[in-house]
Amino acid sequence: MKKIVLIGRSEAGKTTLTQALRGEKIHYHKTQYVNHFDVIVDTPGEYAQTKGLGHALALYTYESDIVGLLVSATEPYCLFPPCITCMANREVIGIVTKIHEPGADTNRATAWLKLAGCEKIFYVDSKTQEGVPEILEYLREDGDVMPWEQGKTKTK
């Protein structure tokens, strides 16, 4: 699978999405440091929110194939400035999280990610797994066996 680094402000849903992508039980866990999980890099929101730590995110994008910018549909503002994706030396996708939460505004979150430069945008509810298979499929490379395919044999 392609390796993805997840970037977004605190409480955007990065760790919950990481748990969903890995097929784990969802539980709240505050990310205190950068976590590497096989093909997922989960970064603390403070790295994106603090100018002095933001430079570290660039290093993690170099180790990844895809950069995932997360914006919660419940956020009152967007952390990412317009046209920021051109600063990455990797493909950048947008991920709108918390799409079914009370007060969610997916149109606003989508507009922010498009303004940031994301052309491909996914919509996710990590708790119900909605949108998770689509992201996994997008990260798939030739020969990868997806979790839902394990144990199945291909017929000719």
Side-chain angles (χ1 to χ4, degrees):
M1 288 186 77
K2 297 173 191 159
K3 188 172 191 174
I4 186 169
V5 59
L6 302 176
I7 299 173
R9 73 180 201 93
S10 294
E11 300 182 21
K14 299 175 301 298
T15 300
T16 304
L17 177 58
T18 297
Q19 293 169 359
L21 290 169
R22 298 184 73 220
E24 298 175 350
K25 182 179 177 185
I26 303 297
H27 66 281
Y28 178 76
H29 171 77
K30 172 67 179 118
T31 302
Q32 298 293 323
Y33 51 86
V34 176
N35 291 304
H36 289 261
F37 301 101
D38 301 323
V39 296
I40 304 167
V41 179
D42 181 12
T43 63
E46 289 80 6
Y47 277 46
Q49 292 171 250
T50 307
K51 183 179 179 184
L53 297 172
H55 298 93
L57 291 176
L59 298 174
Y60 292 103
T61 64
Y62 298 143
E63 297 178 7
S64 302
D65 301 305
I66 296 178
V67 176
L69 299 184
L70 275 74
V71 173
S72 165
T74 62
E75 291 185 23
Y77 64 91
C78 183
L79 185 65
F80 307 115
C83 303
I84 191 67
T85 61
C86 68
M87 300 298 288
N89 64 349
R90 301 289 188 262
E91 177 184 1
V92 181
I93 62 171
I95 303 172
V96 177
T97 60
K98 303 181 184 183
I99 59 174
H100 295 306
E101 293 288 319
D105 188 340
T106 57
N107 290 331
R108 179 179 60 199
T110 300
W112 285 335
L113 287 169
K114 285 183 177 181
L115 186 61
C118 297
E119 294 178 11
K120 179 73 175 166
I121 299 176
F122 294 89
Y123 300 89
V124 175
D125 182 332
S126 296
K127 294 176 183 174
T128 65
Q129 292 285 310
E130 183 177 341
V132 171
E134 290 81 359
I135 294 174
L136 288 171
E137 188 64 36
Y138 192 76
L139 297 175
R140 179 198 290 242
E141 294 183 300
D142 289 340
D144 286 344
V145 177
M146 304 312 276
W148 57 85
E149 298 173 331
Q150 291 180 356
K152 295 182 181 179
T153 57
K154 291 184 179 180
T155 57
K156 292 183 180 181

